[in-house]
Amino acid sequence: MKILDGKATADLIKSEIAREVELIVSAGGKIPHLAAILVGEDGASQTYVGHKERACAQVGFKSTLLRFSAEITEDFLLSEIEKINNNPDIDGLIVQLPLPKHIDEQRVIEAIDPKKDVDGFHPVNVGKMVLGLPSFVSATPWGIIELLDRYNIETSGKNCVIIGRSNIVGKPMANLLSQKRSPGDCTVTICHSRTKELKEHTLNADIIVAALGVPEFLKGDMVKEGAVVIDVGITRVKADNKSGFRLVGDVLYDEVAPKCSFITPVPGGVGPMTIISLLKNTLKASKNR
Ligand code: L34
């Protein structure tokens, strides 16, 4: 069993991006600038946005964080997005999800200028991604593709089972892995809460992407010997330690890992790669403008 080390891979790619930024700046180009909007006080969201800000600093990007209380109105948020859309210094904008219940996430996503939509959530970017056209690709699935690529994992012709059909992970992941490219060319099956005999599907899978958000859902007896397992889940579960919680993936790691050829850990797997995709999308947005 080998670990797909997202943390180490992310550190390597960050140094590559930092070098590219240096070249751009020394040639008199513009420093890439990411804006992030964080609404409310959710602990996990604060951590993730903090990691994004730090990553920007590490590679030499500018970043701006706009923090708003959970009580703001949808109209206020939409007007702030409009300001950033019109701000020529800002290349990319993300609005960290989830948003408070009274705000319509889809409306917010669609308010972002597709040219600045470095999360790749806007329908224009999703549509282009599906057609295989140049676009911003949703950060988590693209980070997984990058990780498979860096570890030279053969995907062509492999049976891939994706558990979960969310707009930000399951759907784009299924699409990317089935595209005619490398990594890609998989035979993809999307499983979800209504799937019957899930185990029959997963036991037939060469690659499993667990992205349903249920801690330790994927058990050892659901995985075939030699499979590649990608764990997208990251749930804070109460624990008796300093932070009061521990991070748990969607995979029951101790049971599944011994059967795998490759597996991503939680933390240190998919999370850091998500941030890399965001940096790459921001660099691309900056170059496009
Ligand atoms: N708009 N909302 C928007 N874009 C995104 O791309 C996200 N996502 C998901 C949640 N909401 C979003 C993220 O940023 C999940 N996500 C994310 C980003 C980073 C990490 C995890 C999830 C991460 O850094 N994970 C670390 C550990 C984090 C910790 O200590 O809690 C890891 O090693 O997995």
Side-chain angles (χ1 to χ4, degrees):
M1 184 270 294
K2 286 208 186 95
I3 289 190
L4 293 169
D5 190 336
K7 170 79 171 60
T9 307
D11 286 343
L12 175 70
I13 299 173
K14 270 188 227 164
S15 63
E16 295 170 7
I17 296 172
R19 225 173 298 140
E20 207 173 329
V21 173
E22 274 173 33
L23 289 175
I24 291 169
V25 173
S26 63
K30 181 186 175 302
I31 297 175
H33 186 175
L34 174 72
I37 296 180
L38 177 59
V39 183
E41 306 286 328
D42 179 72
S45 294
Q46 294 188 42
T47 300
Y48 304 156
V49 170
H51 287 180
K52 292 174 183 183
E53 294 261 288
R54 196 171 64 205
C56 281
Q58 285 169 339
V59 300
F61 289 2
K62 255 171 62 172
S63 71
T64 299
L65 173 60
L66 293 163
R67 295 191 65 151
F68 300 121
S69 104
E71 274 77 54
I72 58 165
T73 64
E74 185 175 304
D75 282 343
F76 173 79
L77 182 57
L78 294 174
S79 70
E80 289 297 315
I81 290 170
E82 192 55 29
K83 278 192 222 162
I84 296 173
N85 284 343
N86 295 324
N87 181 338
D89 191 59
I90 294 174
D91 302 298
L93 166 63
I94 63 163
V95 179
Q96 188 71 17
L97 304 180
L99 289 169
K101 295 227 172 351
H102 66 280
I103 297 178
D104 179 347
E105 279 184 3
Q106 197 56 32
R107 252 192 107 194
V108 168
I109 288 168
E110 292 186 28
I112 298 171
D113 180 347
K115 293 189 195 65
K116 296 192 179 187
D117 168 40
V118 288
D119 262 332
F121 293 170
H122 192 286
V124 165
N125 282 314
V126 177
K128 287 183 175 176
M129 184 268 300
V130 168
L131 295 172
L133 300 171
S135 65
F136 297 116
V137 177
S138 181
T140 300
W142 198 29
I144 293 167
I145 293 283
E146 178 86 48
L147 194 59
L148 294 170
D149 192 27
R150 296 272 170 158
Y151 277 86
N152 285 315
I153 289 174
E154 182 59 74
T155 57
S156 179
K158 302 292 184 189
N159 290 332
C160 175
V161 165
I162 294 162
I163 314 173
R165 54 179 157 182
S166 71
N167 287 347
I168 71 172
V169 183
K171 281 183 205 168
M173 190 78 257
N175 193 272
L176 290 170
L177 283 170
S178 65
Q179 284 185 10
K180 194 178 175 71
R181 64 196 286 280
S182 176
D185 288 324
C186 289
T187 304
V188 175
T189 304
I190 304 177
C191 295
H192 47 73
S193 50
R194 296 299 173 94
T195 296
K196 290 179 178 146
E197 312 301 342
L198 174 69
K199 201 169 147 179
E200 280 177 22
H201 292 286
T202 56
L203 277 174
N204 188 38
D206 305 304
I207 302 169
I208 301 174
V209 180
L212 67 162
V214 177
E216 300 181 331
F217 176 84
L218 190 75
K219 312 281 193 285
D221 66 353
M222 299 167 79
V223 178
K224 112 175 149 183
E225 205 66 47
V228 176
V229 171
I230 308 292
D231 191 351
V232 181
I234 181 160
T235 307
R236 292 180 166 196
V237 173
K238 262 210 169 107
D240 223 359
N241 58 19
K242 223 167 80 188
S243 61
F245 64 85
R246 64 189 178 95
L247 297 173
V248 180
D250 288 352
V251 175
L252 185 53
Y253 188 87
D254 290 346
E255 272 186 30
V256 172
K259 301 184 81 174
C260 294
S261 57
F262 291 94
I263 187 167
T264 61
V266 175
V270 171
M273 294 303 295
T274 296
I275 291 173
I276 287 302
S277 309
L278 177 65
L279 295 176
K280 291 180 81 173
N281 278 342
T282 303
L283 184 59
K284 184 166 155 182
S286 180
K287 285 179 177 171
N288 285 349
R289 296 175 66 244

